[in-house]
Amino acid sequence: MHAKSRVPAILVAAGVLVGSIAALPLPSVAAAPGTVVISQVYGGGGNSGAPFSNDYVELFNRSGAPVSLDGWSVQYTSAGGTGNFAANKTNLSGTLAPGQYHLVQLAAGSTPSGALPQPDSVGSINMSGTAGKVALVRSADGLACNGSSAPCSDAQLELLADLVGYGGANFFEGSPAPALTNTTGAFRKTSGCADTDDNGADFETAHPAPRNSSNAAAPCGGDPSPTATPTVTPTPTPTVTPTESCDTPPTHQISQVQGRGETSPVEGQNVRIEGIVTGSFQGSGRLGGFYLQALRPDADPATSEGLFVYSSTPVKTGDRLLVSGKTIEYNGLTEISPATAVNVCGTGAIKPTEVKLPLKNGVSFERYESMLVTFDTDLAVSEIYNLARYGEINLAEGSRLWQPTDRKGVNTDKDARRTILLDDGSNAQNPPTLPHHTKGSNTVRIGDKVEDLTGVLTYGFGVYRIQPTEPVVFTAENSRPARPAKVGGDVQVAGLNTLNWFTTLGSRGATTAAERDRQLAKLVANITTLNPAVAGLMEVERNNDVALNALVDALNAKSGAGTYKAITHPNPGTDLIQTALIYQPGKVTPIGPARSSSDPIFNRPPLVQAFGKADGTGKTFTVLVNHFKSKGCTDIDGPASGDDADQGDGQSCYNAKRVKQAKAAMALIDNLQLKNTLVLGDINAYGEEDPIHAFEDAGLTSLSKKYIKKDDRYSYVFDGLSGELDHVLADKGARKLVTGATIWHVNADEGRFMDYNTEYNPPYLYAPDPFRSSDHDPLLVGLKL
């Protein structure tokens, strides 16, 4: 298809001609056929009855010449929505030979089924299984249009190499392709060669059958490329390729194929190599091949002795093979793909290479790529965010990783050299059971450890990882604490983030009544075990105290009528969530009205309440509950800019705003003449960041820094790094009342798969207990009044 000739056809199909004339009949428009086109579309991946776990788009070169996809992208938007193509984009690279297919793997659904063939590109676009719009764009920039409510300009249309609107799409070529189902995909007719610039005429539905670059090329008849003067290439004289066997010698050593750098010096060339299988990951849902390692290493420590071979030819660990195929770089991994010959020629054994962490300066894992390795040190779990989703665990030598802005002495360079990701040897998503767990437990907690981890070191999705070849046994170095540590005193005060406790379904919290009940059960278990006289809450739905009162009712159903009461916020703000306070009237009594701040720096204003003991004896104290601006780089006013933009200092966006909020909170203490004040809440700042320093410079004391051991001082884990986002700080008067403080690690060390959600979470892991009742750990402080 020639881009310019497609413009009027697309404009008419979208009902947006120059001059704003709409709803005209569709005329017959002649358009030159395209070179690279979309040859298959499937959006039902991972849905009920789907044959594959992932959506995909297949591309095809219908021309007679190679076409580079570098700088191109696949983009998607819904059939009739207002979103733009730019919101769903997957970049492409590589060169497509004449008649060659290119498979783009996209998002997975919630029901695992079959794995796609080895994809040539990978993205995260989540397409509709019935109707949508897919664009092949000769640019890596997202198109800020959708062809309907946001018409595409001439310049944007010029970038379209192909467009497929299917089902009820309102943007298409000629007429839309048929609607799809979970078991049907849209196929461009004649194996991808048909292109009349009419989706309805060019596409038919059939059972999904994705093809990738390993499939045999299927050149179209003639030369459909839109060149002014066709180039005729003489047909070479056919040659007969002899059958390869164990007598066919290798052409290269594995180390020669790997080379000293990140890419192979023989990329794109056909090679024949010899080695021992160190790990076979073949079969449905696995990696689609095996790892091969040289019998005898070369003398250069910078060259790897292993390779991944993409092949379905059955092999087993210990087989000695001679393998032929093309060398490629697939998402950063050097591999043979596809293998054109796999000859089993005996057996052998490879001793794992010992790898010491942290790696030495200037050394990377590249020298061990695709080799069998073992780590001769304890590795601690640093993050389990994707354990249930992709089977991944972040590990670090010795101990967990810390946020560098949470404490002094964090060596980020060394931390990068002491980490490795543990995978599960599979491409399956959302498996029914966790692929890894700690001995004696059905899950893994951050801080647990593994010894002598052995597997093949490989690379994928931007990170080096271990595919284990032996059972992985974690030991519980961070056992679940059944109760918080004792903090003393005659009154205890807690601060906890409720992870969006909403009674309104489908908003920020639960999406179903069952999820809401599961969430409430966990929150009740958390609070009743903490048993605080006063609890400051964050992320409670702002809905006239409906959510707050529902929580109090559930607490009283568990603890006895009247055990808890709520404080009504006098100024809950403009956000969907608010700060809140609950208390036990049998232990404390509110003194005076609840107060707040009218400073516009807060869209979640703080809540202030003074308390005294219920029996009227002892001193009084004040609680000031906060929830500062998050580290995300968008706000109600738009993207962060100026001082609020990310300054590259590790404090992320809106640090300046959080500092202003800290100063406004201190001004509130002065203006209201508050006494014996505890400033608590989700400050969204780690321990050595500017907002905490602003509090400390104003005379407040961090109780976690004062009372909690350094290795226990954390409440949140993000991107594999632990730190304290949640704080309790005391003024001079309150400091004299404090008897102790603790952080109860029931949430941050637990996987998200343990929470109340039913999507993706294996049902057997849920329990109505405190663990993973939120993503933040609660804090508890003792006061002697």
Side-chain angles (χ1 to χ4, degrees):
M1 175 203 71
H2 195 294
K4 286 191 176 180
S5 62
R6 186 180 290 269
V7 170
I10 294 175
L11 284 170
V12 172
V16 236
L17 281 171
V18 176
S20 300
I21 302 173
L24 293 176
L26 301 179
S28 174
V29 179
T35 52
V36 177
V37 293
I38 298 168
S39 53
Q40 205 176 144
V41 173
Y42 175 63
N47 294 343
S48 177
F52 295 104
S53 298
N54 293 76
D55 299 343
Y56 67 85
V57 169
E58 179 194 278
L59 309 177
F60 176 68
N61 183 2
R62 31 186 328 279
S63 78
V67 177
S68 173
L69 300 180
D70 291 346
W72 289 33
S73 61
V74 167
Q75 302 184 27
Y76 171 84
T77 189
S78 60
T82 58
N84 293 334
F85 285 107
N88 302 283
K89 181 174 69 72
T90 296
N91 292 341
L92 306 173
S93 63
T95 298
L96 208 54
Q100 189 176 37
Y101 299 96
H102 183 101
L103 181 61
V104 184
Q105 175 179 293
L106 301 174
S110 59
T111 306
S113 51
L116 294 174
Q118 177 95 347
D120 300 296
S121 294
V122 176
S124 58
I125 298 172
N126 191 347
M127 301 196 302
S128 166
T130 57
K133 299 175 291 198
V134 183
L136 176 61
V137 184
R138 289 189 298 273
S139 173
D141 295 330
L143 296 181
C145 65
N146 58 33
S148 55
S149 60
C152 297
S153 67
D154 287 357
Q156 290 167 329
L157 293 172
E158 288 274 4
L159 296 173
L160 291 181
D162 197 16
L163 171 70
V164 177
Y166 62 100
N170 57 14
F171 189 41
F172 43 77
E173 295 180 20
S175 62
L180 306 180
T181 69
N182 294 345
T183 58
T184 58
F187 285 71
R188 188 176 289 275
K189 296 176 182 178
T190 61
S191 300
C193 294
D195 190 12
T196 65
D197 281 352
D198 186 331
N199 293 160
D202 291 337
F203 281 86
E204 58 190 355
T205 59
H207 190 74
R211 295 162 289 195
N212 60 13
S213 58
S214 299
N215 283 80
C220 302
D223 184 359
S225 61
T227 52
T229 306
T231 302
V232 179
T233 303
T235 303
T237 304
T239 58
V240 178
T241 302
T243 302
E244 292 174 303
S245 70
C246 292
D247 294 327
T248 309
T251 62
H252 295 76
Q253 296 179 20
I254 289 177
S255 57
Q256 292 175 314
V257 176
Q258 279 282 6
R260 294 176 58 94
E262 293 185 355
T263 59
S264 171
V266 293
E267 181 181 0
Q269 298 181 27
N270 290 315
V271 298
R272 185 166 174 80
I273 57 172
E274 181 179 15
I276 305 294
V277 176
T278 55
S280 178
F281 298 89
Q282 299 172 311
S284 177
R286 307 202 77 199
L287 304 181
F290 53 87
Y291 292 90
L292 202 64
Q293 189 162 330
L295 289 75
R296 292 170 295 278
D298 67 3
D300 188 349
T303 57
S304 169
E305 304 295 335
L307 271 176
F308 179 72
V309 179
Y310 181 64
S311 171
S312 59
T313 301
V315 300
K316 60 183 183 295
T317 300
D319 283 345
R320 182 174 67 85
L321 307 181
L322 282 159
V323 174
S324 298
K326 181 181 287 187
T327 305
I328 70 166
E329 292 291 334
Y330 177 72
N331 288 338
L333 179 68
T334 305
E335 60 182 63
I336 303 299
S337 178
T340 54
V342 176
N343 304 119
V344 180
C345 305
T347 59
I350 297 292
K351 182 180 179 181
T353 298
E354 289 190 2
V355 177
K356 294 184 181 296
L357 296 179
L359 295 176
K360 294 180 179 179
N361 277 314
V363 173
S364 79
F365 285 120
E366 178 68 25
R367 63 175 56 195
Y368 305 114
E369 183 182 276
S370 297
M371 291 176 59
L372 184 66
V373 302
T374 187
F375 293 91
D376 63 351
T377 184
D378 287 352
L379 299 175
V381 176
S382 192
E383 186 176 63
I384 51 177
Y385 187 78
N386 281 325
L387 174 54
R389 188 81 168 92
Y390 303 114
E392 299 175 345
I393 297 178
N394 287 335
L395 302 172
E397 175 266 333
S399 61
R400 71 173 69 214
L401 303 173
W402 299 101
Q403 287 283 354
T405 56
D406 187 69
R407 58 201 57 216
K408 297 176 181 178
V410 176
N411 186 331
T412 55
D413 176 70
K414 181 179 178 180
D415 284 349
R417 292 184 283 110
R418 69 182 181 98
T419 62
I420 189 68
L421 186 144
L422 171 65
D423 209 336
D424 65 346
S426 168
N427 281 327
Q429 300 181 30
N430 307 308
T433 59
L434 296 183
H436 304 297
H437 63 88
T438 296
K439 187 176 180 181
S441 171
N442 61 0
T443 182
V444 177
R445 274 174 61 88
I446 293 174
D448 289 348
K449 292 187 176 181
V450 59
E451 296 181 73
D452 301 321
L453 177 65
T454 299
V456 177
L457 195 150
T458 185
Y459 185 86
F461 299 98
V463 65
Y464 286 100
R465 57 188 64 217
I466 288 290
Q467 305 293 357
T469 55
E470 298 178 2
V472 180
V473 179
F474 286 95
T475 56
E477 298 291 331
N478 182 26
S479 299
R480 281 179 162 179
R483 294 187 168 275
K486 296 186 183 216
V487 294
D490 45 23
V491 166
Q492 287 79 43
V493 178
L496 61 147
N497 184 306
T498 67
L499 185 58
N500 288 309
W501 164 239
F502 274 54
T503 50
T504 302
L505 299 177
S507 185
R508 290 192 187 179
T511 56
T512 67
E515 286 187 345
R516 183 177 59 200
D517 292 346
R518 285 159 56 112
Q519 182 182 17
L520 185 57
K522 281 189 167 290
L523 287 173
V524 168
N526 184 343
I527 295 171
T528 54
T529 306
L530 283 166
N531 193 29
V534 178
L537 310 177
M538 284 65 68
E539 293 192 13
V540 175
E541 182 179 12
R542 182 180 62 82
N543 61 348
N544 295 316
D545 287 350
V546 173
L548 180 60
N549 289 334
L551 175 59
V552 169
D553 289 345
L555 289 168
N556 289 335
K558 176 76 176 290
S559 303
T563 302
Y564 287 90
K565 291 187 70 174
I567 298 288
T568 295
H569 202 309
N571 178 28
T574 58
D575 202 348
L576 289 176
I577 54 177
Q578 67 173 69
T579 56
L581 266 170
I582 60 175
Y583 68 99
Q584 295 191 43
K587 296 181 179 179
V588 294
T589 299
I591 298 175
R595 291 176 286 181
S596 185
S597 171
S598 59
D599 193 323
I601 195 66
F602 300 110
N603 66 329
R604 298 187 289 249
L607 176 57
V608 180
Q609 180 65 61
F611 291 95
K613 290 177 67 174
D615 61 9
T617 64
K619 295 185 178 180
T620 64
F621 66 97
T622 305
V623 176
L624 196 162
V625 188
N626 302 272
H627 190 181
F628 284 7
K629 177 70 184 76
S630 76
K631 291 179 176 288
C633 291
T634 58
D635 199 355
I636 55 174
D637 299 323
S641 61
D643 290 343
D644 280 325
D646 192 333
Q647 305 296 309
D649 57 3
Q651 301 187 82
S652 194
C653 293
Y654 291 103
N655 182 58
K657 184 172 187 176
R658 288 189 293 275
V659 170
K660 292 175 183 177
Q661 290 177 326
K663 292 180 178 178
M666 295 305 303
L668 189 64
I669 294 175
D670 291 338
N671 294 337
L672 297 180
Q673 298 182 336
L674 303 180
K675 303 296 183 184
N676 301 336
T677 304
L678 295 177
V679 176
L680 65 82
D682 180 356
I683 306 302
N684 272 310
Y686 292 108
E688 297 301 329
E689 293 188 1
D690 296 337
I692 305 303
H693 291 162
F695 280 132
E696 292 172 331
D697 291 345
L700 298 189
T701 297
S702 165
L703 298 183
S704 54
K705 290 181 181 179
K706 179 176 176 64
Y707 288 97
I708 301 173
K709 293 188 300 183
K710 191 174 181 181
D711 287 349
D712 286 332
R713 189 173 57 76
Y714 62 91
S715 66
Y716 192 72
V717 176
F718 178 75
D719 203 19
L721 305 177
S722 297
E724 187 182 5
L725 284 182
D726 309 85
H727 303 266
V728 180
L729 301 106
D731 68 7
K732 184 177 180 180
R735 279 199 305 272
K736 297 177 181 179
L737 307 178
V738 175
T739 55
T742 190
I743 302 174
W744 189 24
H745 298 307
V746 290
N747 296 323
D749 291 333
E750 302 280 340
R752 57 175 172 160
F753 45 85
M754 306 291 294
D755 70 17
Y756 67 84
N757 283 278
T758 55
E759 302 97 339
Y760 306 133
N761 291 357
Y764 76 96
L765 292 176
Y766 175 79
D769 57 25
F771 299 99
R772 199 62 182 189
S773 52
S774 175
D775 51 348
H776 296 244
D777 286 331
L779 286 76
L780 189 66
V781 174
L783 302 176
K784 180 66 174 176
L785 302 182

